[in-house]
Every structure is written in C-alpha cells, then in structure tokens.
Amino acid sequence: MEIPFVDLKIQYQNYKTEIDKAIFDVINDSVFIKGKYVERFENEFASKCDSKYCIGVANGTDALFIILKMLGIGKGDEVITTSLSWISTSETISLTGAKPVFIDTDDYYLIDTYKIKDKITEKTKAIIPVHLYGNPCDMDKIIMIANEYKLFVIEDCAQAHFAMYNEQKVGTFSDAATFSFYPGKNLGAYGDAGAIVTNDKILAEKCRMFSNHGALHKHNHLIEGINSRLDSLQAAILLVKLNYIDEWNRKRYENAVIYNKILKSIPNVKIPKIKSKTKHIFHIYCILAEKRDYLRKYLNEKTIATQIHYPTILPLMPAYSYLNYQQKDFPKSSLFQKNILSLPMYPELKTNEIKFVCDSIKEFYEKYA
Ligand SMILES: *Cc1c(COP(=O)(O)O)cnc(C)c1O
C-alpha cells in the first residue's frame, strides 16, 4: 500500500468538472490580473474569516512582508516570533531591516507564551505567533501581553485556515493575519498565492497599495511598492475550493482522531496534544517518535511517506548564525527537532490507510525498540 504524504491529484479528480470550468471561465474572460474573480475571492474569504478586509497577494511570505512594512516596522526594531516555523515567518522580519527575536516552544509546538515577556525590549514592536500545524496559539495570553507593552500582533495563519480559538476564528485576534495558499496547504491554489486579512480599513488600503507598486490608481504611485498580487486563475480555483474547505478540515480532524486512537497505545510515540478551547485543523499530524530517523526509514521502505516540520529550528539555521543562538537557548524545540515526525495527512486519506501506517509503526517498535 503506497501512501503519499499529501495527495493533491485525488482532490483535483474529485472536483475536476468545477475546477476546469473555473479555469476556462477566466481564460475565456482573459482578465488575468485583478478583476472580478480576485474581488469575489477577497470578499468571500474575508467573510469566511469573519474579517472585514482581505487583500489577495502573490504568496504567504509576501503577505507577512507587506504587513510588517505597512505597520512601519524596519531598521532598529525587534519582532518576536517562534523558534519552530517555516523561514518565511522570520526572513520577512529581517527583510524589513528589523531583527527577529526567537522564543522557544511549549508542549504544543507553539510559541511559549510564558517566555515572551523576558524578550521584550524598548525596540520590540510586534509579535508574530504562528498557528503551527493548524493548532491555534494561546491568543488570550498573547493579546494581553501585546496590550500591556503596546505591540502589534500579526497572526501567521499559513497552516491554519479556519482553525478556532475560544469559538473564534484564528486571524481575527490581532492587527492583521496572513494566509498562504501554497498547493499543499489546507486551502491550496494551483501555484503560489496568499492573502492578508484585517479589520483595519486604513491598514488594508496601505497593504493593497504597497502590493500593487504603491499605486492607489493606475499610474498614480503614492509610494514605492512591490508587485505582489493574487492572479485571477488562482482566485477562481480558490473560490471553488472555499466551498469545500470546512468539509476537508473536518475530515482531517476525523483522520487525526483515528490516528490518536491507535497510536496512543504505542509507548514509543507521543500523539499531538490539543488545548481545550481550540479547534485544530491538522494541516500536519505531528508525533514525537523514539528512534525517529530509523522509524522514518522503515516507513519509507513500506512506501509510507513522512516529513519533518522542521529538521532544524529557525535560530539554529546558518542564516541566523550571526545572532549567535545556541541549542540550550531553545531547550524544548531543539529537543523536538530530533523526534518530530509528520505522518501522511489529507482529507481523502482512508481509515484502512491510517491503520496501515499505525500498524507499520507498531511493527517497527516490536522489532527494534
Ligand atoms: C507556507 C508558510 C508560509 C509561507 O507561505 P508561502 O505561500 O509559501 O510563501 C509562511 N508561514 C508558514 C508557517 C508557512 O507554513
């Protein structure tokens, strides 16, 4: 039984008629940049996020860069974020000229809110919590700290489309939130795409302007900006997929429940913890596994694909060697680094496939533990 890590093809096959029509409608109209599909997607996405404004951009990384720039963050500033994420979260901080300040994770693989205050200085301007793997951060605590120290908060929701904290959707707790529609994300385009959502009208206008060469209207450039737009083809595809995302997220959750039920009886692995008051959307199903690298090889031989999110925590990447961080500065996440393993997870994954993955894990520990 061959089990891929994600299966984008099966999703396309299931909705082929609708998606093909969406693509050909755009080509027939031949309006590829801006226009009605982008507008429609922005409106529907904002509304589904319970947010007032949505600005479609080229990808989730640009979304972070644009919002940081438009909040006025730059040289001499510091921005606090988590040690465990994809590099977009921190490289965009550096690209504004500001300095990323990394915080260790808690047991949920999320920024440890108890360690944030220690790192706040006169230069701190913002916090970027990442709802990693689709698991919401403790937003009450983060917003409380941000209010106390007058900091901006930007939620990186790249992995957490419509996850909930306290019955409220992630992305609505902060000044602005960013989304990625990279093909493998829970809501994925057929290429790069991303979005910013916010309730702040002026901030939304600034972001839209900056992402479109600083122009409010064509040939009227109020500032210098960049070219980072969501294109019509991606918007049309995303509009179709938006109708199914709740169902897909629910199926992912159900798959996680099946994994949990079986894996919890294996003493050599730890299943992901879920906080009360949250709705995890399982972009990634991550376990802690003893002898992780051997297990991974064993599963690979059985044609079960796994991944590691992420093999090296951000502060220990060569890109940040100038910050002189050490492993002991991040006791928890640097330990996770050795044991985390992401198992196959997508809505179309079948129960017997999950069982096969779990049986193979069991078999590995029976043989080699
Ligand atoms: C995917 C991702 C991004 C970047 O999104 P792109 O669309 O690939 O630029 C940012 N942050 C996190 C946590 C991500 O997983």
Side-chain angles (χ1 to χ4, degrees):
M1 203 183 302
E2 190 175 335
I3 306 181
F5 187 72
V6 288
D7 192 340
L8 300 180
K9 238 186 214 168
I10 193 168
Q11 192 183 69
Y12 171 60
Q13 282 156 1
N14 287 342
Y15 302 90
K16 186 177 181 338
T17 323
E18 264 185 279
I19 286 176
D20 287 357
K21 182 178 181 308
I23 291 170
F24 282 104
D25 283 350
V26 174
I27 299 173
N28 276 323
D29 291 349
S30 286
V31 178
F32 297 108
I33 305 289
K34 297 205 249 183
K36 67 180 178 191
Y37 298 99
V38 175
E39 221 168 89
R40 211 179 286 160
F41 175 74
E42 288 177 336
N43 288 335
E44 285 192 23
F45 191 72
S47 144
K48 206 166 160 49
C49 283
D50 298 330
S51 225
K52 278 196 187 138
Y53 308 100
C54 166
I55 302 101
V57 295
N59 55 67
T61 309
D62 280 3
L64 283 162
F65 177 66
I66 292 165
I67 196 74
L68 283 163
K69 287 290 280 187
M70 293 305 99
L71 287 172
I73 287 160
K75 204 162 185 289
D77 296 335
E78 292 178 358
V79 177
I80 286 175
T81 193
T82 172
S83 58
L84 188 66
S85 184
W86 177 244
I87 195 166
S88 303
T89 317
S90 53
E91 70 186 346
T92 47
I93 298 170
S94 308
L95 282 175
T96 67
K99 183 179 140 188
V101 175
F102 296 102
I103 308 277
D104 200 12
T105 56
D106 58 17
D107 286 337
Y108 301 84
Y109 310 116
L110 304 170
I111 188 166
D112 188 338
T113 53
Y114 291 93
K115 292 182 181 164
I116 293 177
K117 276 193 184 179
D118 288 347
K119 299 287 164 139
I120 294 176
T121 71
E122 309 247 282
K123 295 175 179 172
T124 310
K125 290 281 150 45
I127 307 173
I128 307 184
V130 181
H131 304 300
L132 198 75
Y133 306 157
N135 194 15
C137 295
D138 190 346
M139 290 314 296
D140 282 350
K141 187 86 194 289
I142 291 166
I143 296 301
M144 215 166 71
I145 296 169
N147 287 342
E148 187 182 339
Y149 292 89
K150 309 237 173 325
L151 307 175
F152 294 119
V153 178
I154 304 156
E155 287 167 86
D156 183 341
C157 300
Q159 303 189 0
H161 316 76
F162 312 117
M164 311 259 269
Y165 175 82
N166 260 350
E167 309 281 304
Q168 186 182 332
K169 283 179 188 150
V170 300
T172 58
F173 292 87
S174 51
D175 296 282
T178 62
F179 287 86
S180 165
F181 307 119
Y182 177 82
K185 299 283 159 81
N186 285 29
L187 182 63
Y190 286 3
D192 279 312
I196 297 164
V197 301
T198 179
N199 285 327
D200 182 332
K201 187 164 190 245
I202 293 170
L203 187 60
E205 278 170 4
K206 279 186 183 170
C207 289
R208 186 173 297 287
M209 196 163 74
F210 185 71
S211 66
N212 188 34
H213 303 289
L216 206 51
H217 307 290
K218 206 167 193 179
H219 303 307
N220 182 16
H221 304 275
L222 303 187
I223 52 169
E224 284 181 319
I226 59 172
N227 176 4
S228 181
R229 297 174 298 220
L230 174 67
D231 70 70
S232 304
L233 275 170
Q234 302 306 341
I237 293 163
L238 289 167
L239 269 167
V240 173
K241 289 191 164 200
L242 207 50
N243 295 320
Y244 302 103
I245 182 66
D246 291 336
E247 183 186 327
W248 293 334
N249 280 347
R250 198 185 61 243
K251 284 189 174 156
R252 282 174 182 268
Y253 193 91
E254 287 167 6
N255 288 342
V257 170
I258 302 171
Y259 266 127
N260 283 345
K261 247 188 213 156
I262 311 177
L263 293 179
K264 118 184 138 192
S265 66
I266 307 176
N268 315 75
V269 306
K270 285 203 175 71
I271 60 174
K273 289 185 181 168
I274 304 183
K275 284 186 195 146
S276 61
K277 312 191 292 186
T278 64
K279 192 181 134 213
H280 195 316
I281 56 141
F282 287 101
H283 171 55
I284 284 167
Y285 183 85
C286 179
I287 59 167
L288 287 177
E290 286 173 21
K291 302 193 161 99
R292 192 261 324 265
D293 294 335
Y294 295 104
L295 171 64
R296 194 170 184 219
K297 204 163 146 253
Y298 188 80
L299 295 176
N300 189 45
E301 278 160 12
K302 300 204 152 221
T303 63
I304 297 168
T306 59
Q307 288 189 21
I308 297 167
H309 300 93
Y310 297 90
T312 306
I313 56 171
L314 291 171
L316 300 183
M317 287 277 185
Y320 298 108
S321 57
Y322 72 98
L323 292 172
N324 290 315
Y325 280 117
Q326 290 180 306
Q327 213 154 0
K328 67 170 168 50
D329 301 324
F330 305 94
K332 212 149 232 172
S333 54
S334 56
L335 207 75
F336 285 156
Q337 208 180 275
K338 299 185 183 71
N339 295 108
I340 49 176
L341 184 67
S342 309
L343 301 180
M345 173 54 85
Y346 46 92
E348 299 82 3
L349 193 64
K350 296 189 191 73
T351 304
N352 66 320
E353 292 171 323
I354 298 172
K355 282 187 176 143
F356 179 65
V357 176
C358 296
D359 286 344
S360 305
I361 294 172
K362 221 180 250 174
E363 208 176 87
F364 169 79
Y365 288 113
E366 277 161 12
K367 280 188 188 162
Y368 303 108

